[in-house]
Amino acid sequence: MSNIQKYKEFYKQSMENRDDFWQEQAKMIDWDTPFDSVLEYNNPPFAKWFHGGTLNLCQNAVDRHLADRGDQNAIVWVSTEEDKEVNITFAQLHKQVNEAAAVYKSLGVEKGDRILIYMPMIPQAVVAMLACVRIGAIHSVVFGGFAAHALASRIDDATPKVVVTADAGLRGGKTIAYQPLLDASYQQITITPPKVLLVNRGLAEGALGEGKYDWDEQMAKCAGQIVDPVMVESSHPSYILYTSGTTGTPKGVQRDTGGHAVAMRASMKHIYDLQPGETMFTGSDIGWVVGHSYIVYAPLLTGATTILYEGLPIRPDPGIWWSLIEKFKVSVMFTAPTAIRVLKKTGTDLINKYDLTSLRTLFLAGEPLDSETHRWISDALPGNVVDNYWQTETGWPILTNFAGIGLMENKFGSPTMPAYGFDVMLVDESTAEPVAANEKGSLMIKAPLPPGCMTTIWGDDKRFVETYFSRFGKEMYATFDYALRDEDGYYFIMGRDDDVINVAGHRLGTREIEEVLCKHSSVVEVAAVGVKDELKGQEVVAFVVSSDQTEAASESDLKALVSREIGAIARPKNIYMVSGLPKTRSGKVLRRAIRSMAEGEDPGDLPTIDDASVLESIIATIKKG
Ligand code: PRX
C-alpha cells in the first residue's frame, strides 16, 4: 500500500469508526478508572471525551516512566544565555514535582485552583506546570515576553491563588527583570493579589516581602515529600492558555485532561513518530501552545527526552541549534518558519558542519511556511521537513503530513492533509456551501472536535459558542483561516479572516494593541494592522489620530507604551500620525483598506467609505515615512 493509501485508510477509520479509533488510542494512557463512553456529546458543541474515566496527567508524564526510565533524561536544559546545561532524569523530575506539589499545598492550593506561571525557559517552569496538574490545579502559563497590561488582564481572568515567577529572563545577553513587570501588573489587577513564588536566579532584584515566597527555600522545606497524584475526571481542566482573538480581551483556551493526554500521546506516534527513549527538540517557548504540547506534554507522556532551550537560535552563532541536534542525537525537531528564515540568511555552512543524521524530521508550524524556505531547508537537511497547521485552540495539528504512518509526497506551500479526527470542510464564506477544488473558502471543522482540542473558554461558555460555533451553527467550528484544496486533496492556508496577526510565529490581537495605545491621553483613535514582513511573516503598524487639545505623543513614546504594556513582540514597526481613519458611513473602520495602504498597495474600490479624502492624507503620511 502506498503511504497516501495508508493515510486515507487511517483517516477513514477515525471518521467512520470514531469511538473504536479513539478507544484504541486511549490505550497509550494509564487510566485510574476506565471511561464509560469514548464520547459524550449530548450538549453540542461541548464534547466530553473519555467520559467517566479518571487519570492524572503528571502521573502519566512522569511516574509511569520511573520503573523503566528512571535514569533516562526527561529534560535537558540548555541555556546559551547562562552558558549552562542541566540534565534532569525522570527520577529527579519526579522528586522535584513532588516537592513543588507539596509547596503548592502548603500555600493553600487545592484541586481546581489556578496557578499562573510567568517564567523564562528554565526547568523550574516545567516543574511548576507538572506539579500543578499533579494536584488537580489548573495552570495558566503567560509568555515571559508579555508585559504589565497583558499579564494583568490574564491574572484578572484566571484569578490564580499563586503566581510562580522568576527574578528575570535573559534574551540575547540582556537581562529582563520580571519583578517590575509583575509589580506593575499588580497595580492594574482588580482581584486580591495572588501569592508569589519566586525563583531567584541571582540575575535581578527580587524583593521578597508579604505574600512572596522563595522557590528554593520552599522546596527545601518540602524536601523528600511525596504527594500522591490526584486522579481527576477526564473532563477536568488541565490548563488555561490565553490567546488573542477579535476583541481586546484575551480568550482563556481551556483544555481537558483525558482528551489532552490521549491526543498528545497519539500525535507522537502517528504524526511526529517519536519513540519512547528518543529525544525531541522544540525551539519555541512554554508560553505558547507549541511549547505546552511539544516541549512539555507530548514528549514526556511518551517517555522521551525533551530539550528545553533558553536563548536565541543565532547565539553564540547560527549553528547552535544544529550543534544540539548532533550532541543530543535529536530525532525530531519542531520550530516556527521564522527561525528557519533567520538561519537561511547565513547559508548552509553551519548546517553542513554538524552530523545531523539522527534528525528524521523537522516540523514547522505557527505561521505560513513559504515554498522557498520549505525547499531550502528540505535540501539542506538529510531528513524530512513537514509543514503542519494548527491553533492554540486545537492543541495539535489539523493539517499535516504523517511521519508515523509514512510520509506522503510534500507539496511546497502546503501543510498536506487533515489529521485523523478532524472533519475539515472548506465552505463559501457567505453561503456555507462547500467550495470546489482550487477555490478559496473558510476553513471549518465539523463538530465535535477531536480529543485534545479546547473544551470551552475559561469561565465563558457563551463566548466559546458565539466565537467559534456561530457562523454556520453549532455543527461547525470556525478556524478563522481561509484555505484552498487542490485537485489532489492538498490544502493551502491563505491567511486569517479576522484581526489576529502573526509576528514571528507569535499570535497577537491587533485590538489589544489598539486598546493600549488608546490609554495615552493624546490618542483619540487607533487602527493597528499586520503588514507583510519577509523575515517575521508580519509586523505591526499603527495609525494614530491625536487630539488637538493635548500635545501629540511622539512615535517613540507610543512604541515604548506598547512594549511596556504588552511586550516587545507587539511593538509597532511604524506608527503613523494621521488626521483620520477611513470609515464606513456607519462608522466602521475600513481595516482591510488600511492594511493595503500600509503594504504600499492600492486600497481598492471603497463604495461604503464616508470621507474618501482621508485616504490621500494617509498615503501621503506613509510616503513621508
Ligand atoms: O493562521 C493560522 C496560523 O497561526 C494561527 C494559529 O496560531 P496559534 O494559535 O499561535 O497556534 C500555533 C500552533 C502551531 C492559525 O490560525 N498558522 C499556524 N500554523 C500554520 C499557520 N498558517 C499557515 N501555515 C501553518 N502551518
Side-chain angles (χ1 to χ4, degrees):
M1 233 202 286
S2 69
N3 284 347
I4 195 157
Q5 281 168 325
K6 275 197 250 168
Y7 156 75
K8 283 194 170 151
E9 185 47 41
F10 194 71
Y11 181 79
K12 200 168 129 202
Q13 285 298 324
S14 79
M15 289 293 123
E16 292 176 4
N17 300 315
R18 185 183 68 200
D19 287 9
D20 292 348
F21 180 91
W22 288 109
Q23 174 99 38
E24 191 58 31
Q25 308 307 321
K27 288 183 186 158
M28 288 187 275
I29 290 299
D30 283 358
W31 298 86
D32 194 52
T33 323
F35 43 89
D36 311 314
S37 61
V38 171
L39 172 67
E40 196 183 275
Y41 196 54
N42 47 24
N43 181 23
F46 300 92
K48 285 191 169 167
W49 287 96
F50 311 112
H51 186 62
T54 65
L55 74 162
N56 183 278
L57 200 52
C58 181
Q59 186 274 331
N60 270 281
V62 184
D63 303 43
R64 70 165 167 158
H65 306 308
L66 289 178
D68 295 340
R69 313 188 172 277
D71 296 333
Q72 178 199 307
N73 284 337
I75 301 172
V76 172
W77 179 56
V78 178
S79 171
T80 49
E81 298 287 349
E82 279 206 85
D83 200 16
K84 271 193 192 157
E85 194 185 298
V86 175
N87 296 335
I88 301 171
T89 64
F90 275 102
Q92 290 165 334
L93 183 60
H94 181 255
K95 181 174 180 313
Q96 292 180 25
V97 291
N98 272 283
E99 290 168 355
V103 171
Y104 287 159
K105 286 181 76 170
S106 75
L107 296 177
V109 179
E110 288 166 23
K111 180 184 167 191
D113 286 342
R114 276 79 56 210
I115 293 184
L116 190 131
I117 299 175
Y118 179 56
M119 295 274 261
M121 290 284 286
I122 55 176
Q124 290 90 335
V126 180
V127 171
M129 292 166 80
L130 293 167
C132 224
V133 295
R134 188 170 191 84
I135 58 171
I138 304 164
H139 61 69
S140 182
V141 182
V142 174
F143 175 53
F146 277 135
H149 170 81
L151 191 53
S153 62
R154 286 154 176 82
I155 294 175
D156 268 343
D157 193 76
T159 58
K161 253 195 186 156
V162 175
V163 172
V164 188
T165 184
D167 57 342
L170 293 162
R171 197 176 156 78
K174 271 200 288 212
T175 303
I176 300 137
Y178 280 13
Q179 290 317 290
L181 297 169
L182 188 65
D183 288 347
S185 81
Y186 270 42
Q187 299 291 320
Q188 297 183 24
I189 58 174
T190 56
I191 63 159
T192 314
K195 292 174 183 164
V196 176
L197 188 56
L198 182 116
V199 176
N200 194 341
R201 307 175 73 185
L203 297 170
E205 291 285 318
L208 295 171
E210 169 99 22
K212 279 195 173 182
Y213 303 84
D214 180 78
W215 172 277
D216 286 340
E217 255 174 55
Q218 300 300 314
M219 288 288 274
K221 270 194 202 159
C222 296
Q225 287 195 29
I226 291 292
V227 176
D228 287 335
V230 174
M231 297 300 158
V232 299
E233 320 76 73
S234 179
S235 59
H236 182 72
S238 56
Y239 73 73
I240 308 165
L241 179 57
Y242 287 90
T243 193
S244 312
T246 303
T247 68
T249 328
K251 292 177 287 198
V253 167
Q254 179 176 321
R255 192 104 51 222
D256 70 353
T257 301
H260 171 49
V262 172
M264 288 295 100
R265 181 64 190 89
S267 74
M268 282 286 120
K269 183 168 159 62
H270 307 301
I271 300 174
Y272 297 93
D273 185 30
L274 188 79
Q275 304 300 322
E278 291 188 326
T279 301
M280 178 155 186
F281 170 37
T282 298
S284 176
D285 191 284
I286 48 147
W288 304 108
V289 73
V290 173
H292 278 65
S293 293
Y294 296 106
I295 295 175
V296 182
Y297 287 111
L300 295 179
L301 285 166
T302 304
T305 304
T306 185
I307 295 185
L308 183 72
Y309 177 77
E310 182 186 45
L312 300 176
I314 47 165
R315 254 175 55 111
D317 67 55
I320 177 65
W321 280 8
W322 313 121
S323 80
L324 298 181
I325 302 223
E326 178 182 276
K327 180 166 180 190
F328 299 107
K329 301 200 170 39
V330 171
S331 302
V332 175
M333 179 175 165
F334 189 148
T335 193
T338 295
I340 302 302
R341 284 194 289 265
V342 168
L343 298 179
K344 183 169 157 223
K345 289 207 297 190
T346 55
T348 49
D349 287 358
L350 282 168
I351 298 186
N352 298 335
K353 189 173 154 193
Y354 298 99
D355 176 5
L356 304 181
T357 46
S358 66
L359 183 64
R360 289 191 297 269
T361 320
L362 165 66
F363 288 85
L364 297 170
E367 54 175 328
L369 172 61
D370 56 286
S371 320
E372 169 115 19
T373 304
H374 197 173
R375 183 172 295 115
W376 176 80
I377 190 69
S378 299
D379 288 346
L381 292 177
N384 300 295
V385 180
V386 168
D387 178 9
N388 56 141
Y389 158 84
W390 45 289
Q391 307 180 305
T392 305
E393 288 85 344
T394 65
W396 60 285
I398 303 168
L399 299 172
T400 184
N401 210 329
F402 303 83
I405 298 173
L407 289 173
M408 297 177 269
E409 194 189 326
N410 267 333
K411 282 197 190 188
F412 294 128
S414 163
T416 318
M417 292 189 204
Y420 48 89
F422 285 98
D423 195 351
V424 172
M425 317 183 81
L426 277 186
V427 302
D428 182 281
E429 197 169 7
S430 37
T431 64
E433 287 300 314
V435 296
N438 294 311
E439 255 178 46
K440 179 172 161 180
S442 297
L443 202 156
M444 310 290 291
I445 302 166
K446 193 159 175 286
L449 295 175
C453 293
M454 80 189 293
T455 45
T456 188
I457 290 178
W458 172 253
D460 205 342
D461 286 350
K462 192 163 160 260
R463 188 173 176 201
F464 172 65
V465 178
E466 282 172 1
T467 306
Y468 297 104
F469 295 92
S470 66
R471 226 178 243 197
F472 308 122
K474 284 184 187 165
E475 294 78 45
M476 275 206 244
Y477 165 87
T479 62
F480 301 98
D481 281 298
Y482 290 118
L484 65 75
R485 184 178 49 230
D486 72 7
E487 51 290 341
D488 299 325
Y490 282 71
Y491 284 74
F492 294 79
I493 300 294
M494 317 203 51
R496 300 274 307 193
D497 65 13
D498 60 0
D499 301 325
V500 167
I501 62 168
N502 212 310
V503 178
H506 301 323
R507 174 165 162 184
L508 298 172
T510 50
R511 296 283 168 178
E512 210 178 346
I513 301 170
E514 289 169 1
E515 275 180 20
V516 160
L517 285 169
C518 280
K519 280 186 175 187
H520 197 283
S521 57
S522 75
V523 173
V524 176
E525 219 179 0
V526 183
V529 293
V531 298
K532 276 189 219 111
D533 181 82
E534 216 171 287
L535 210 57
K536 299 182 180 176
Q538 281 182 303
E539 278 266 38
V540 181
V541 168
F543 294 83
V544 173
V545 184
S546 335
S547 151
D548 304 334
Q549 316 300 318
T550 54
E551 196 185 327
S554 74
E555 219 185 278
S556 62
D557 280 351
L558 294 175
K559 285 181 180 175
L561 177 65
V562 176
S563 296
R564 201 166 60 235
E565 295 293 336
I566 302 181
I569 42 162
R571 185 187 170 93
K573 182 177 161 188
N574 292 313
I575 291 188
Y576 297 113
M577 306 309 244
V578 293
S579 56
L581 300 173
K583 288 184 188 163
T584 61
R585 276 178 276 282
S586 57
K588 202 169 165 281
V589 175
L590 291 160
R591 310 176 61 84
R592 216 173 279 188
I594 295 175
R595 199 176 61 214
S596 303
M597 289 186 285
E599 288 182 337
E601 285 164 21
D602 193 301
D605 226 10
L606 299 167
T608 58
I609 196 165
D610 183 38
D611 173 9
S613 73
V614 296
L615 296 178
E616 264 125 68
S617 107
I618 290 180
I619 292 170
T621 311
I622 295 172
K623 276 208 182 118
K624 262 197 291 173

